[in-house]
Amino acid sequence: VEDPRLQWESLYHANNAAGLGGRAAYLLYEDVAEGRQGWLQALLQLSLGKHLRLDTGLQYRTLRTTNFARIKDLLGASFHEDIDPFSGTGNDLDGKLQKKQGEPFGYHYESSAGALQPFLQLQYQKGRWEAFAALQYSSQRYQRKGNYRNERFPDTSLGDGSPLAFGDLMGKGGVGYHLGGRHWWSLNGVIGRHAPLLKHVFVNPRESHQQVPGLQSEYWSGLEFNYDLRMRGLKGRLTAYYTRMMDKTDIHFFFVDSGLGSDFVQEVVTGLDHLHMGVELGLEYEITSSLNASAVMSLGKYRVGSDPLVTINFDTAGLEDDLINPEGSEALGPAMLKDYHLSAGPQKAFSLGLEYR
């Protein structure tokens, strides 16, 4: 309280400077995402005999989100000029330039997503054996609608953008074996394609309809082995797994000032592979009726599995001699990231515990 990080009195003083004429030099705002979603699922189970069962159904999901920035406090000023500070261009050409407290500013758009997913699964169980096989088709659709006509992208910012559709197939299966109720093992696998997330579809949805060039579905494959032990006084589980996710897309936003030029850019990374593999072990031993001991170990390897391609995108509304590229994008080629660690938490973890009751 005595020494705040923000000197609020200085901010109010700056906003009341005579040269600004009531315009805010500083303001407090919030990024708002107001969403509405719907979900519908229909399931059907059929018995095909004593040992075989069929599960089928479909799922439909829809999501529509309104995204905008909203002024919370003008900090003593009368209005905010809705102009991009990097290029000096208007964010809302068809609206008013001066925005007041509680009003949207900067960006205003809607994003919608819809998915229809029918599936089919067979389950088999006889004696000590059990198995399953499943297949799912996914039809995914994305679209952006802009409520502001942005001066940096006057032709691709307002109204409905082109819809983007994906049709993907995913399959999984597994087999398990029980040995006397004390030992049980299973092997599961998955393979197929999965549509990218909505946040990875548009280069900069706050400003334009532009989609990531050459965007494609992600390819997933994975195996998992489990062994469960249930002995008198001792319980344990061993898991080994391998998962590879290919053709991923990632987008980052930042300001760059380099020998190529200066701009606020969107870095688009394509052809990115993630590799997850490891072993997990958990044991619990009953020492006495009131004392239990436990031990857990996790050894993982989470790495980048490819050298992805990097492109930076930017608007061309700034000064001509300061542009990185007049075309609005610059391909930087591959990033040598293969075998680098992923930021997925600790890759080695150990735990020992005693529980007394």
Side-chain angles (χ1 to χ4, degrees):
V1 175
E2 295 176 356
D3 187 17
R5 294 191 179 189
L6 290 177
Q7 303 297 327
W8 294 101
E9 292 184 4
S10 299
L11 299 181
Y12 276 88
H13 180 74
N15 279 353
N16 284 285
L20 294 178
R23 176 173 59 87
Y26 300 96
L27 59 85
L28 185 65
Y29 77 96
E30 58 185 349
D31 291 310
V32 181
E34 297 177 343
R36 301 182 303 278
Q37 63 178 349
W39 181 75
L40 177 67
Q41 179 173 278
L43 299 174
L44 177 65
Q45 290 185 351
L46 294 175
S47 177
L48 303 180
K50 186 177 180 181
H51 307 291
L52 192 62
R53 192 182 79 183
L54 173 68
D55 297 316
T56 184
L58 62 86
Q59 182 182 98
Y60 177 73
R61 291 177 290 116
T62 179
L63 171 67
R64 191 172 190 89
T65 306
T66 302
N67 306 267
F68 56 92
R70 181 166 57 199
I71 299 174
K72 292 189 68 175
D73 197 327
L74 286 169
L75 304 179
S78 300
F79 62 89
H80 166 65
E81 281 191 353
D82 198 3
I83 294 177
D84 178 67
F86 292 102
S87 60
T89 55
N91 296 319
D92 183 15
L93 289 181
D94 301 328
K96 58 184 182 180
L97 178 63
Q98 299 181 359
K99 301 295 179 69
K100 300 297 182 65
Q101 184 169 318
E103 294 181 341
F105 79 103
Y107 66 94
H108 198 314
Y109 72 96
E110 300 174 17
S111 57
S112 60
L116 180 64
Q117 297 174 323
F119 76 92
L120 191 70
Q121 177 173 274
L122 281 172
Q123 288 184 293
Y124 174 82
Q125 186 171 9
K126 184 178 181 181
R128 297 178 176 180
W129 289 93
E130 61 181 46
F132 77 95
L135 197 64
Q136 176 182 270
Y137 177 77
S138 178
S139 176
Q140 194 98 10
R141 186 178 184 273
Y142 298 127
Q143 191 172 22
R144 176 193 182 274
K145 178 183 178 182
N147 297 323
Y148 281 177
R149 186 163 67 92
N150 191 297
E151 188 174 356
R152 298 177 294 284
F153 301 93
D155 301 323
T156 58
S157 55
L158 185 65
D160 292 325
S162 300
L164 185 63
F166 296 90
D168 301 298
L169 199 62
M170 182 77 74
K172 63 179 180 178
V175 60
Y177 181 75
H178 297 260
L179 183 60
R182 296 186 179 273
H183 305 271
W184 178 74
W185 63 263
S186 66
L187 180 66
N188 303 312
V190 61
I191 189 170
R193 288 197 170 273
H194 188 278
L197 298 176
L198 177 60
K199 65 180 181 179
H200 295 153
V201 170
F202 300 101
V203 174
N204 187 1
R206 292 186 174 186
E207 296 187 346
S208 76
H209 304 317
Q210 183 184 358
Q211 300 169 358
V212 173
L215 187 65
Q216 58 181 334
S217 297
E218 300 174 4
Y219 178 78
W220 291 7
S221 61
L223 281 174
E224 175 194 63
F225 173 79
N226 297 295
Y227 171 68
D228 285 79
L229 175 67
R230 296 291 185 270
M231 304 294 289
R232 179 173 296 180
L234 177 64
K235 295 187 294 184
R237 181 181 177 91
L238 173 68
T239 298
Y241 59 91
Y242 174 93
T243 305
R244 191 179 188 99
M245 293 163 281
M246 304 172 63
D247 299 325
K248 295 177 68 67
T249 300
D250 205 0
I251 301 177
H252 302 278
F253 303 83
F254 52 87
F255 181 80
V256 63
D257 188 1
S258 68
L260 293 174
S262 304
D263 215 324
F264 184 77
V265 304
Q266 299 86 47
E267 179 193 70
V268 180
V269 181
T270 56
L272 179 64
D273 295 356
H274 285 182
L275 180 64
H276 293 192
M277 63 175 68
V279 177
E280 297 175 350
L281 175 65
L283 296 172
E284 182 178 315
Y285 181 68
E286 185 179 315
I287 301 174
T288 69
S289 59
S290 58
L291 184 63
N292 286 353
S294 64
V296 178
M297 177 190 72
S298 177
L299 302 176
K301 180 181 178 181
Y302 315 132
R303 303 289 177 91
V304 178
S306 65
D307 292 328
L309 298 177
V310 179
T311 303
I312 54 175
N313 298 264
F314 38 85
D315 68 81
T316 57
L319 296 176
E320 191 68 26
D321 58 356
D322 197 36
L323 290 178
I324 296 176
N325 188 326
E327 299 296 326
S329 66
E330 180 76 19
L332 302 181
M336 303 306 174
L337 296 178
K338 189 174 182 179
D339 292 329
Y340 272 59
H341 290 278
L342 291 170
S343 56
Q347 300 192 33
K348 295 181 177 64
F350 306 90
S351 173
L352 292 174
L354 285 175
E355 181 184 285
Y356 176 75
R357 294 185 181 181

